[in-house]
Amino acid sequence: MDAKNIIAKRAAKELKDGDIVNLGIGLPTLLTSYLDPDLDIIFQSENGILGMGDTPEVGKEDPDITNAGGAFVTVKSGAAFFDSATSFGIIRGGHVDVTVLGALQIDEQGSLASHIIPGKLVPGMGGAMDLVVGAKKVIVVTTHTAKGDAPKILHRCTLPLTAYKKVNRIITELAVIDCTPEGLVLREINANTTVDEVKRLTEADLIIPEHVGRFE
Amino acid sequence: MKNKLISAQEAAEKIKSGSSLMYGGFIGVGTPDAIVDEIVKRAPKELTLIGNDTGKPDKGVSKLIAAGLVKKVIASHIGTNPQTGELMGKGELEVELVPQGSLAEKIRAGGFGLGGVLTPTGLGTDVAAGKQIINVDGKDYILEKALKGDVAIISGSIVDKAGNVYYKGTTRNFCPLVAAAADVVIVYAEKLVEVGEIPPENVMTPGIFVDFIVEGK
């Protein structure tokens, strides 16, 4: 299993029955492949859906039903469509339980940079800044390091911030880390790694509790 | 009843050089491509675009940017149309990025008689730079000022001849917001029906907001 699937599999465990969840584009969307089908989870899409379903079968796409990445989707029975003000009222108003986003950098304060590399990559924040402010739980999923083992979990983000002190949990292929007022706490490590290896690949200081869990 | 029906060419004539053009659409879904195509032909210059994103290369307002008609973009996300970022990098296009929920509220405020909104979105980030921070009952908020446009173009799935609009699926997005916030509002009717055929409770944008209707082919 590659890093992204390891992350998605572990992150899927964060979603609970009845949760209202917004998944970012890319890696976060992969979580749906690892969800327990018995869980009743309501997916929100910021372009105006509560109750988003799976990708439609080829030939059954409806051009008027798309997700926030512009891809065709289906909706589940009982779904609702709405305009963008209502959509962000749902998000900012605290009605979304969990948001899962990707990251370029995360830091010891629970701040996140994910939307811009000045002069290089400027997609923009889209709905991310509202999601991190409004969702009850903010989970960041990311590979532990960038190319060449360059740390992504830093003392302080150097890129422009998308969220200031809003991240609750970081999930990588190597570790599960909680952002707390005291700093970053290592909760779990991948069964195939060690605490020392995680520390080596993390620039930020990690608080290591007596018990650190393991995940597959 | 005023006859609101015009052609796509006549719709394009409403957009003058230098005007601010609001548009419905989320990566092009809800943007009237037929009107965009006519604007490209008519080629007004120095436009300011206000909408969620700049479409993708083959869909939405991207063609206006490709044709060099745009001076400034106010949007939340430009990643799906790489040309916007390229022109921004070269200094040929001014881009103001606004968090999506704040953009929706700025436009809503513009249409609904408010000076702006107070939002916690963007506190502690570059988005707050230069903006007034207002503390209400111990919590900080950014003052995001209202946005208005000269012209708005939207798509409607079913539109009656009075301009009442019903939107299907996710085509609604920014359409009802920009319809209230612009001086001149043009709806592209995917399906045009007689007045009374849309049940009043299914009207999502009341016809009073709509000045002109372009009947879809």
Side-chain angles (χ1 to χ4, degrees), chain A residues 46-49 62-70 81-85 88 92 116 122-127 129-130 133 160-164, chain B residues 26-27 29 76-79 85 88 97-102 104-105 108 119-127 168-174 176-177:
Chain A
E46 62 265 32
N47 60 322
I49 312 174
D62 183 334
D64 292 334
I65 302 178
T66 49
N67 66 16
F81 295 118
F82 30 79
D83 66 67
S84 294
F88 282 89
R92 212 188 303 98
I116 196 162
V122 283
M125 68 289 280
M129 282 197 176
D130 298 281
V133 164
L161 294 183
T162 308
Y164 175 63
Chain B
F26 201 108
I27 318 183
V29 176
S76 78
H77 195 273
I78 58 171
M88 178 187 175
L97 290 168
V98 181
Q100 202 164 107
S102 299
E105 285 299 314
R108 191 183 64 85
T119 177
T121 300
L123 282 170
T125 77
D126 292 348
V127 165
K168 195 180 150 231
T170 55
T171 65
R172 198 178 336 178
N173 54 71
F174 276 73
L177 306 172

Short mmCIF file of all heavy atoms in Angstrom, two decimals, chain A residues 46-49 62-70 81-85 88 92 116 122-127 129-130 133 160-164, chain B residues 26-27 29 76-79 85 88 97-102 104-105 108 119-127 168-174 176-177:
data_model
loop_
_atom_site.label_atom_id
_atom_site.label_comp_id
_atom_site.label_asym_id
_atom_site.label_seq_id
_atom_site.Cartn_x
_atom_site.Cartn_y
_atom_site.Cartn_z
N GLU A 46 -18.85 21.99 -0.87
CA GLU A 46 -19.07 23.43 -0.70
C GLU A 46 -19.71 24.12 -1.90
O GLU A 46 -20.17 25.25 -1.79
CB GLU A 46 -17.76 24.14 -0.30
CG GLU A 46 -16.64 24.06 -1.31
CD GLU A 46 -15.68 22.91 -1.01
OE1 GLU A 46 -16.14 21.87 -0.48
OE2 GLU A 46 -14.49 23.04 -1.33
N ASN A 47 -19.78 23.43 -3.04
CA ASN A 47 -20.50 24.04 -4.16
C ASN A 47 -22.01 23.89 -4.02
O ASN A 47 -22.75 24.34 -4.89
CB ASN A 47 -20.02 23.46 -5.50
CG ASN A 47 -20.24 21.98 -5.61
OD1 ASN A 47 -20.06 21.25 -4.64
ND2 ASN A 47 -20.63 21.51 -6.78
N GLY A 48 -22.45 23.25 -2.91
CA GLY A 48 -23.89 23.29 -2.63
C GLY A 48 -24.61 21.96 -2.49
O GLY A 48 -25.73 21.82 -2.98
N ILE A 49 -23.95 20.99 -1.81
CA ILE A 49 -24.61 19.69 -1.60
C ILE A 49 -24.44 19.24 -0.15
O ILE A 49 -23.35 19.32 0.41
CB ILE A 49 -24.00 18.55 -2.47
CG1 ILE A 49 -23.86 18.94 -3.93
CG2 ILE A 49 -24.84 17.27 -2.34
CD1 ILE A 49 -23.13 17.89 -4.78
N ASP A 62 -24.71 13.35 -14.67
CA ASP A 62 -25.62 14.48 -14.86
C ASP A 62 -24.77 15.75 -14.85
O ASP A 62 -24.15 16.07 -13.83
CB ASP A 62 -26.64 14.51 -13.71
CG ASP A 62 -27.66 15.62 -13.88
OD1 ASP A 62 -27.34 16.63 -14.56
OD2 ASP A 62 -28.77 15.49 -13.35
N PRO A 63 -24.72 16.49 -15.98
CA PRO A 63 -23.85 17.67 -16.05
C PRO A 63 -24.20 18.75 -15.02
O PRO A 63 -23.40 19.65 -14.76
CB PRO A 63 -24.05 18.18 -17.48
CG PRO A 63 -25.31 17.55 -17.95
CD PRO A 63 -25.45 16.25 -17.23
N ASP A 64 -25.40 18.67 -14.44
CA ASP A 64 -25.83 19.67 -13.46
C ASP A 64 -25.56 19.23 -12.03
O ASP A 64 -25.94 19.93 -11.08
CB ASP A 64 -27.32 19.96 -13.62
CG ASP A 64 -27.63 20.68 -14.92
OD1 ASP A 64 -26.74 21.37 -15.45
OD2 ASP A 64 -28.76 20.54 -15.42
N ILE A 65 -24.91 18.09 -11.84
CA ILE A 65 -24.59 17.62 -10.48
C ILE A 65 -23.10 17.31 -10.41
O ILE A 65 -22.64 16.27 -10.90
CB ILE A 65 -25.45 16.40 -10.08
CG1 ILE A 65 -26.94 16.76 -10.17
CG2 ILE A 65 -25.10 15.95 -8.67
CD1 ILE A 65 -27.88 15.61 -9.86
N THR A 66 -22.35 18.23 -9.82
CA THR A 66 -20.89 18.12 -9.76
C THR A 66 -20.42 18.38 -8.34
O THR A 66 -21.16 18.93 -7.51
CB THR A 66 -20.25 19.17 -10.69
OG1 THR A 66 -20.83 20.44 -10.42
CG2 THR A 66 -20.47 18.83 -12.16
N ASN A 67 -19.17 18.00 -8.06
CA ASN A 67 -18.61 18.27 -6.73
C ASN A 67 -17.73 19.51 -6.78
O ASN A 67 -17.62 20.17 -7.81
CB ASN A 67 -17.85 17.03 -6.21
CG ASN A 67 -16.61 16.72 -7.03
OD1 ASN A 67 -16.12 17.54 -7.81
ND2 ASN A 67 -16.09 15.52 -6.86
N ALA A 68 -17.07 19.80 -5.65
CA ALA A 68 -16.29 21.05 -5.55
C ALA A 68 -15.04 21.02 -6.41
O ALA A 68 -14.40 22.05 -6.62
CB ALA A 68 -15.94 21.32 -4.10
N GLY A 69 -14.69 19.84 -6.96
CA GLY A 69 -13.57 19.76 -7.89
C GLY A 69 -14.04 19.84 -9.33
O GLY A 69 -13.24 19.74 -10.26
N GLY A 70 -15.35 19.95 -9.52
CA GLY A 70 -15.91 20.05 -10.86
C GLY A 70 -16.21 18.69 -11.48
O GLY A 70 -16.63 18.62 -12.63
N PHE A 81 -29.64 20.48 -2.15
CA PHE A 81 -28.80 21.43 -2.89
C PHE A 81 -29.09 22.84 -2.37
O PHE A 81 -30.22 23.13 -1.96
CB PHE A 81 -29.15 21.41 -4.39
CG PHE A 81 -28.84 20.12 -5.09
CD1 PHE A 81 -29.87 19.37 -5.68
CD2 PHE A 81 -27.54 19.66 -5.19
CE1 PHE A 81 -29.59 18.19 -6.34
CE2 PHE A 81 -27.26 18.47 -5.87
CZ PHE A 81 -28.29 17.74 -6.44
N PHE A 82 -28.09 23.70 -2.42
CA PHE A 82 -28.30 25.08 -1.96
C PHE A 82 -27.27 25.99 -2.61
O PHE A 82 -26.33 25.53 -3.25
CB PHE A 82 -28.22 25.16 -0.43
CG PHE A 82 -27.30 24.15 0.18
CD1 PHE A 82 -25.93 24.36 0.17
CD2 PHE A 82 -27.79 22.96 0.71
CE1 PHE A 82 -25.08 23.41 0.69
CE2 PHE A 82 -26.93 22.00 1.22
CZ PHE A 82 -25.57 22.23 1.22
N ASP A 83 -27.46 27.31 -2.39
CA ASP A 83 -26.53 28.28 -2.98
C ASP A 83 -25.28 28.39 -2.10
O ASP A 83 -25.20 27.83 -1.02
CB ASP A 83 -27.22 29.64 -3.16
CG ASP A 83 -27.58 30.27 -1.83
OD1 ASP A 83 -26.67 30.65 -1.07
OD2 ASP A 83 -28.78 30.40 -1.54
N SER A 84 -24.31 29.18 -2.59
CA SER A 84 -23.00 29.26 -1.92
C SER A 84 -23.06 29.98 -0.58
O SER A 84 -22.28 29.68 0.32
CB SER A 84 -21.99 29.94 -2.84
OG SER A 84 -21.76 29.12 -3.98
N ALA A 85 -23.98 30.93 -0.40
CA ALA A 85 -24.10 31.61 0.90
C ALA A 85 -24.59 30.62 1.95
O ALA A 85 -24.08 30.57 3.08
CB ALA A 85 -25.03 32.81 0.79
N PHE A 88 -21.80 28.06 2.81
CA PHE A 88 -20.79 28.55 3.75
C PHE A 88 -21.40 28.98 5.07
O PHE A 88 -20.69 29.09 6.08
CB PHE A 88 -19.92 29.62 3.09
CG PHE A 88 -18.91 28.97 2.19
CD1 PHE A 88 -19.21 28.71 0.88
CD2 PHE A 88 -17.70 28.53 2.70
CE1 PHE A 88 -18.30 28.03 0.06
CE2 PHE A 88 -16.80 27.86 1.91
CZ PHE A 88 -17.10 27.61 0.59
N ARG A 92 -19.37 27.78 8.07
CA ARG A 92 -18.90 28.76 9.05
C ARG A 92 -19.72 28.72 10.32
O ARG A 92 -19.23 29.04 11.41
CB ARG A 92 -18.96 30.16 8.42
CG ARG A 92 -17.92 31.12 8.89
CD ARG A 92 -18.16 32.52 8.38
NE ARG A 92 -18.23 32.63 6.93
CZ ARG A 92 -19.38 32.67 6.22
NH1 ARG A 92 -20.54 32.60 6.81
NH2 ARG A 92 -19.34 32.79 4.92
N ILE A 116 -1.11 28.38 -1.29
CA ILE A 116 -0.32 29.24 -2.17
C ILE A 116 1.18 29.06 -1.93
O ILE A 116 1.63 28.95 -0.78
CB ILE A 116 -0.75 30.72 -1.99
CG1 ILE A 116 -0.28 31.60 -3.14
CG2 ILE A 116 -0.31 31.29 -0.67
CD1 ILE A 116 -1.05 32.92 -3.21
N VAL A 122 -0.39 29.14 -7.41
CA VAL A 122 -1.35 30.06 -6.79
C VAL A 122 -2.79 29.63 -7.02
O VAL A 122 -3.58 30.38 -7.59
CB VAL A 122 -1.16 31.51 -7.32
CG1 VAL A 122 0.03 32.16 -6.67
CG2 VAL A 122 -1.01 31.53 -8.84
N PRO A 123 -3.16 28.43 -6.59
CA PRO A 123 -4.55 28.04 -6.84
C PRO A 123 -5.57 28.88 -6.07
O PRO A 123 -6.68 29.09 -6.53
CB PRO A 123 -4.61 26.58 -6.39
CG PRO A 123 -3.47 26.42 -5.45
CD PRO A 123 -2.42 27.37 -5.90
N GLY A 124 -5.16 29.37 -4.89
CA GLY A 124 -6.11 30.11 -4.07
C GLY A 124 -6.70 29.24 -2.99
O GLY A 124 -6.59 28.02 -3.02
N MET A 125 -7.35 29.89 -2.03
CA MET A 125 -7.82 29.17 -0.84
C MET A 125 -9.16 28.48 -1.07
O MET A 125 -9.51 27.59 -0.32
CB MET A 125 -7.89 30.10 0.36
CG MET A 125 -8.96 31.19 0.30
SD MET A 125 -8.61 32.51 -0.91
CE MET A 125 -7.43 33.52 -0.04
N GLY A 126 -9.91 28.87 -2.10
CA GLY A 126 -11.23 28.27 -2.28
C GLY A 126 -12.02 28.35 -0.99
O GLY A 126 -12.10 29.41 -0.36
N GLY A 127 -12.54 27.20 -0.55
CA GLY A 127 -13.33 27.16 0.68
C GLY A 127 -12.53 26.80 1.92
O GLY A 127 -13.09 26.74 3.02
N MET A 129 -10.29 28.26 3.89
CA MET A 129 -10.18 29.16 5.04
C MET A 129 -11.46 29.20 5.87
O MET A 129 -11.42 29.37 7.08
CB MET A 129 -9.84 30.57 4.57
CG MET A 129 -8.37 30.73 4.21
SD MET A 129 -7.97 32.48 4.14
CE MET A 129 -6.22 32.39 3.84
N ASP A 130 -12.61 29.06 5.20
CA ASP A 130 -13.87 29.01 5.93
C ASP A 130 -14.03 27.66 6.64
O ASP A 130 -14.51 27.60 7.76
CB ASP A 130 -15.04 29.20 4.96
CG ASP A 130 -15.00 30.54 4.26
OD1 ASP A 130 -15.40 31.53 4.89
OD2 ASP A 130 -14.55 30.61 3.11
N VAL A 133 -12.06 27.41 9.89
CA VAL A 133 -12.64 28.26 10.94
C VAL A 133 -13.94 27.65 11.48
O VAL A 133 -14.24 27.73 12.66
CB VAL A 133 -12.91 29.69 10.38
CG1 VAL A 133 -13.85 30.47 11.27
CG2 VAL A 133 -11.59 30.44 10.22
N PRO A 160 2.49 31.43 3.20
CA PRO A 160 1.31 32.15 3.71
C PRO A 160 0.29 31.18 4.33
O PRO A 160 0.03 30.11 3.77
CB PRO A 160 0.74 32.83 2.46
CG PRO A 160 1.90 32.97 1.54
CD PRO A 160 2.76 31.76 1.79
N LEU A 161 -0.24 31.57 5.47
CA LEU A 161 -1.13 30.68 6.21
C LEU A 161 -2.52 30.58 5.58
O LEU A 161 -3.08 31.56 5.11
CB LEU A 161 -1.29 31.16 7.66
CG LEU A 161 -0.05 31.11 8.54
CD1 LEU A 161 -0.41 31.56 9.96
CD2 LEU A 161 0.58 29.73 8.54
N THR A 162 -3.05 29.36 5.64
CA THR A 162 -4.44 29.11 5.28
C THR A 162 -5.27 29.07 6.56
O THR A 162 -6.43 29.48 6.58
CB THR A 162 -4.56 27.77 4.52
OG1 THR A 162 -3.62 27.78 3.45
CG2 THR A 162 -5.96 27.57 3.98
N ALA A 163 -4.66 28.55 7.63
CA ALA A 163 -5.32 28.47 8.94
C ALA A 163 -4.33 28.90 10.01
O ALA A 163 -3.16 28.52 9.97
CB ALA A 163 -5.77 27.05 9.22
N TYR A 164 -4.80 29.70 10.93
CA TYR A 164 -3.96 30.13 12.05
C TYR A 164 -4.48 29.43 13.31
O TYR A 164 -5.60 29.70 13.77
CB TYR A 164 -4.02 31.65 12.19
CG TYR A 164 -3.28 32.20 13.39
CD1 TYR A 164 -1.91 32.04 13.52
CD2 TYR A 164 -3.97 32.90 14.38
CE1 TYR A 164 -1.24 32.54 14.62
CE2 TYR A 164 -3.30 33.42 15.48
CZ TYR A 164 -1.93 33.24 15.60
OH TYR A 164 -1.27 33.74 16.69
N PHE B 26 -19.66 27.44 -10.82
CA PHE B 26 -18.65 26.79 -10.00
C PHE B 26 -17.88 25.88 -10.95
O PHE B 26 -18.39 24.88 -11.43
CB PHE B 26 -19.31 25.98 -8.88
CG PHE B 26 -18.40 25.70 -7.72
CD1 PHE B 26 -18.58 26.35 -6.50
CD2 PHE B 26 -17.37 24.78 -7.84
CE1 PHE B 26 -17.75 26.08 -5.42
CE2 PHE B 26 -16.53 24.52 -6.76
CZ PHE B 26 -16.72 25.17 -5.55
N ILE B 27 -16.66 26.29 -11.27
CA ILE B 27 -15.88 25.65 -12.33
C ILE B 27 -16.74 25.51 -13.59
O ILE B 27 -16.78 24.49 -14.25
CB ILE B 27 -15.25 24.31 -11.88
CG1 ILE B 27 -14.69 24.43 -10.45
CG2 ILE B 27 -14.14 23.87 -12.83
CD1 ILE B 27 -14.00 23.20 -9.93
N VAL B 29 -19.96 25.35 -13.97
CA VAL B 29 -21.31 24.81 -13.82
C VAL B 29 -22.22 25.93 -13.28
O VAL B 29 -22.07 26.35 -12.14
CB VAL B 29 -21.32 23.59 -12.87
CG1 VAL B 29 -22.74 23.09 -12.65
CG2 VAL B 29 -20.45 22.49 -13.43
N SER B 76 -12.20 33.07 -5.55
CA SER B 76 -11.67 32.32 -4.40
C SER B 76 -10.64 31.29 -4.83
O SER B 76 -9.84 30.83 -4.03
CB SER B 76 -12.80 31.63 -3.64
OG SER B 76 -13.23 30.45 -4.30
N HIS B 77 -10.69 30.89 -6.10
CA HIS B 77 -9.87 29.78 -6.55
C HIS B 77 -9.60 29.92 -8.04
O HIS B 77 -10.53 30.12 -8.81
CB HIS B 77 -10.60 28.46 -6.27
CG HIS B 77 -9.72 27.26 -6.35
ND1 HIS B 77 -9.49 26.60 -7.53
CD2 HIS B 77 -9.01 26.62 -5.41
CE1 HIS B 77 -8.67 25.58 -7.30
NE2 HIS B 77 -8.37 25.56 -6.02
N ILE B 78 -8.34 29.83 -8.45
CA ILE B 78 -8.03 29.97 -9.88
C ILE B 78 -7.28 28.75 -10.41
O ILE B 78 -6.81 28.74 -11.54
CB ILE B 78 -7.21 31.26 -10.16
CG1 ILE B 78 -5.90 31.27 -9.36
CG2 ILE B 78 -8.05 32.50 -9.83
CD1 ILE B 78 -4.95 32.39 -9.75
N GLY B 79 -7.20 27.71 -9.59
CA GLY B 79 -6.38 26.54 -9.93
C GLY B 79 -6.87 25.74 -11.11
O GLY B 79 -6.08 25.07 -11.78
N GLY B 85 -3.38 31.93 -13.42
CA GLY B 85 -2.16 32.00 -12.62
C GLY B 85 -0.95 32.44 -13.41
O GLY B 85 -0.11 33.20 -12.93
N MET B 88 -1.21 36.12 -14.06
CA MET B 88 -0.98 36.78 -12.78
C MET B 88 0.52 36.84 -12.50
O MET B 88 1.06 37.89 -12.12
CB MET B 88 -1.70 36.00 -11.68
CG MET B 88 -1.53 36.53 -10.28
SD MET B 88 -2.29 35.34 -9.12
CE MET B 88 -1.82 36.10 -7.57
N LEU B 97 -7.57 37.23 -4.37
CA LEU B 97 -8.15 35.98 -3.88
C LEU B 97 -8.91 36.25 -2.58
O LEU B 97 -8.39 36.87 -1.65
CB LEU B 97 -7.05 34.95 -3.64
CG LEU B 97 -6.39 34.39 -4.90
CD1 LEU B 97 -5.13 33.60 -4.55
CD2 LEU B 97 -7.36 33.52 -5.68
N VAL B 98 -10.14 35.77 -2.53
CA VAL B 98 -11.01 35.98 -1.38
C VAL B 98 -11.53 34.60 -0.94
O VAL B 98 -11.92 33.81 -1.79
CB VAL B 98 -12.22 36.86 -1.78
CG1 VAL B 98 -13.13 37.11 -0.59
CG2 VAL B 98 -11.76 38.18 -2.39
N PRO B 99 -11.51 34.30 0.37
CA PRO B 99 -12.07 33.03 0.81
C PRO B 99 -13.50 32.86 0.28
O PRO B 99 -14.26 33.83 0.25
CB PRO B 99 -12.06 33.12 2.33
CG PRO B 99 -10.97 34.11 2.64
CD PRO B 99 -10.99 35.10 1.50
N GLN B 100 -13.82 31.63 -0.13
CA GLN B 100 -15.07 31.42 -0.85
C GLN B 100 -16.32 31.87 -0.08
O GLN B 100 -17.23 32.48 -0.64
CB GLN B 100 -15.19 29.93 -1.20
CG GLN B 100 -16.10 29.64 -2.33
CD GLN B 100 -15.87 28.23 -2.85
OE1 GLN B 100 -16.67 27.35 -2.64
NE2 GLN B 100 -14.77 28.01 -3.51
N GLY B 101 -16.34 31.54 1.21
CA GLY B 101 -17.50 31.95 2.01
C GLY B 101 -17.56 33.46 2.18
O GLY B 101 -18.66 34.05 2.20
N SER B 102 -16.41 34.09 2.27
CA SER B 102 -16.39 35.56 2.39
C SER B 102 -16.82 36.20 1.07
O SER B 102 -17.54 37.20 1.07
CB SER B 102 -14.99 36.04 2.78
OG SER B 102 -14.61 35.50 4.02
N ALA B 104 -18.89 34.91 -1.13
CA ALA B 104 -20.34 34.75 -1.22
C ALA B 104 -21.04 35.82 -0.37
O ALA B 104 -22.01 36.44 -0.82
CB ALA B 104 -20.75 33.35 -0.76
N GLU B 105 -20.52 36.05 0.83
CA GLU B 105 -21.16 37.02 1.73
C GLU B 105 -20.95 38.46 1.27
O GLU B 105 -21.83 39.30 1.46
CB GLU B 105 -20.63 36.83 3.15
CG GLU B 105 -21.20 35.62 3.86
CD GLU B 105 -22.73 35.69 4.01
OE1 GLU B 105 -23.26 36.74 4.41
OE2 GLU B 105 -23.39 34.68 3.71
N ARG B 108 -23.46 38.83 -1.43
CA ARG B 108 -24.80 38.85 -0.83
C ARG B 108 -25.06 40.21 -0.19
O ARG B 108 -26.13 40.81 -0.36
CB ARG B 108 -24.94 37.75 0.22
CG ARG B 108 -26.36 37.52 0.70
CD ARG B 108 -26.41 36.46 1.80
NE ARG B 108 -25.69 36.87 3.00
CZ ARG B 108 -26.22 37.61 3.98
NH1 ARG B 108 -27.47 37.98 3.92
NH2 ARG B 108 -25.49 37.96 5.01
N THR B 119 -16.78 38.47 9.64
CA THR B 119 -16.51 37.03 9.58
C THR B 119 -15.19 36.70 10.28
O THR B 119 -14.23 37.49 10.22
CB THR B 119 -16.46 36.54 8.12
OG1 THR B 119 -16.11 35.15 8.12
CG2 THR B 119 -15.42 37.29 7.29
N PRO B 120 -15.13 35.54 10.94
CA PRO B 120 -13.85 35.13 11.52
C PRO B 120 -12.89 34.53 10.49
O PRO B 120 -11.71 34.33 10.77
CB PRO B 120 -14.27 34.05 12.53
CG PRO B 120 -15.54 33.49 11.98
CD PRO B 120 -16.22 34.61 11.25
N THR B 121 -13.40 34.26 9.28
CA THR B 121 -12.58 33.60 8.25
C THR B 121 -11.41 34.49 7.84
O THR B 121 -11.62 35.63 7.44
CB THR B 121 -13.44 33.27 7.02
OG1 THR B 121 -14.50 32.40 7.41
CG2 THR B 121 -12.61 32.61 5.93
N GLY B 122 -10.20 33.93 7.94
CA GLY B 122 -9.01 34.65 7.50
C GLY B 122 -8.25 35.35 8.61
O GLY B 122 -7.17 35.90 8.38
N LEU B 123 -8.78 35.33 9.83
CA LEU B 123 -8.04 35.95 10.95
C LEU B 123 -6.68 35.27 11.10
O LEU B 123 -6.57 34.05 11.03
CB LEU B 123 -8.82 35.78 12.27
CG LEU B 123 -10.02 36.72 12.49
CD1 LEU B 123 -10.81 36.26 13.71
CD2 LEU B 123 -9.57 38.18 12.65
N GLY B 124 -5.64 36.07 11.28
CA GLY B 124 -4.30 35.52 11.45
C GLY B 124 -3.62 35.16 10.14
O GLY B 124 -2.54 34.59 10.14
N THR B 125 -4.27 35.47 9.00
CA THR B 125 -3.67 35.19 7.68
C THR B 125 -3.56 36.49 6.88
O THR B 125 -4.05 37.53 7.32
CB THR B 125 -4.54 34.20 6.87
OG1 THR B 125 -5.67 34.90 6.34
CG2 THR B 125 -5.02 33.03 7.71
N ASP B 126 -2.97 36.38 5.68
CA ASP B 126 -2.82 37.56 4.82
C ASP B 126 -4.16 38.18 4.43
O ASP B 126 -4.22 39.35 4.05
CB ASP B 126 -2.07 37.19 3.53
CG ASP B 126 -0.61 36.83 3.81
OD1 ASP B 126 -0.15 37.10 4.95
OD2 ASP B 126 0.05 36.29 2.91
N VAL B 127 -5.22 37.37 4.49
CA VAL B 127 -6.55 37.86 4.11
C VAL B 127 -6.97 39.04 5.00
O VAL B 127 -7.70 39.93 4.57
CB VAL B 127 -7.59 36.71 4.20
CG1 VAL B 127 -9.02 37.22 4.18
CG2 VAL B 127 -7.36 35.73 3.05
N LYS B 168 -31.30 23.71 -11.21
CA LYS B 168 -31.20 22.27 -10.98
C LYS B 168 -29.83 21.94 -10.38
O LYS B 168 -28.83 22.58 -10.71
CB LYS B 168 -31.36 21.54 -12.32
CG LYS B 168 -31.65 20.07 -12.19
CD LYS B 168 -31.79 19.42 -13.55
CE LYS B 168 -31.33 17.97 -13.42
NZ LYS B 168 -30.36 17.59 -14.42
N GLY B 169 -29.81 20.92 -9.50
CA GLY B 169 -28.55 20.37 -8.98
C GLY B 169 -27.65 21.43 -8.38
O GLY B 169 -28.09 22.31 -7.63
N THR B 170 -26.38 21.35 -8.75
CA THR B 170 -25.39 22.27 -8.18
C THR B 170 -25.17 23.50 -9.07
O THR B 170 -24.19 24.22 -8.91
CB THR B 170 -24.05 21.55 -7.98
OG1 THR B 170 -23.64 20.97 -9.23
CG2 THR B 170 -24.15 20.48 -6.93
N THR B 171 -26.08 23.76 -10.02
CA THR B 171 -25.90 24.93 -10.88
C THR B 171 -26.22 26.24 -10.16
O THR B 171 -25.95 27.31 -10.67
CB THR B 171 -26.80 24.86 -12.15
OG1 THR B 171 -28.17 24.91 -11.74
CG2 THR B 171 -26.54 23.56 -12.92
N ARG B 172 -26.81 26.15 -8.96
CA ARG B 172 -27.26 27.36 -8.26
C ARG B 172 -26.08 28.19 -7.76
O ARG B 172 -26.01 29.39 -8.00
CB ARG B 172 -28.17 26.96 -7.08
CG ARG B 172 -29.00 28.12 -6.60
CD ARG B 172 -29.97 27.78 -5.46
NE ARG B 172 -30.38 26.40 -5.33
CZ ARG B 172 -31.19 25.95 -4.37
NH1 ARG B 172 -31.65 26.79 -3.46
NH2 ARG B 172 -31.53 24.68 -4.30
N ASN B 173 -25.21 27.57 -7.00
CA ASN B 173 -24.00 28.17 -6.40
C ASN B 173 -24.06 29.69 -6.22
O ASN B 173 -24.76 30.19 -5.34
CB ASN B 173 -22.73 27.68 -7.11
CG ASN B 173 -22.71 27.89 -8.61
OD1 ASN B 173 -22.60 29.01 -9.07
ND2 ASN B 173 -22.81 26.80 -9.37
N PHE B 174 -23.34 30.45 -7.01
CA PHE B 174 -23.30 31.92 -6.83
C PHE B 174 -24.40 32.65 -7.62
O PHE B 174 -24.49 33.88 -7.54
CB PHE B 174 -21.93 32.48 -7.25
CG PHE B 174 -20.88 32.39 -6.18
CD1 PHE B 174 -20.30 31.18 -5.84
CD2 PHE B 174 -20.45 33.53 -5.50
CE1 PHE B 174 -19.34 31.09 -4.84
CE2 PHE B 174 -19.48 33.46 -4.50
CZ PHE B 174 -18.92 32.23 -4.17
N PRO B 176 -27.85 33.00 -7.48
CA PRO B 176 -28.81 33.89 -6.81
C PRO B 176 -28.13 35.09 -6.15
O PRO B 176 -28.75 36.14 -6.00
CB PRO B 176 -29.45 32.99 -5.74
CG PRO B 176 -29.08 31.60 -6.09
CD PRO B 176 -27.81 31.67 -6.87
N LEU B 177 -26.87 34.94 -5.78
CA LEU B 177 -26.15 36.02 -5.09
C LEU B 177 -25.80 37.13 -6.07
O LEU B 177 -26.07 38.31 -5.81
CB LEU B 177 -24.89 35.47 -4.42
CG LEU B 177 -25.12 34.29 -3.47
CD1 LEU B 177 -23.80 33.70 -3.01
CD2 LEU B 177 -25.93 34.72 -2.26
#
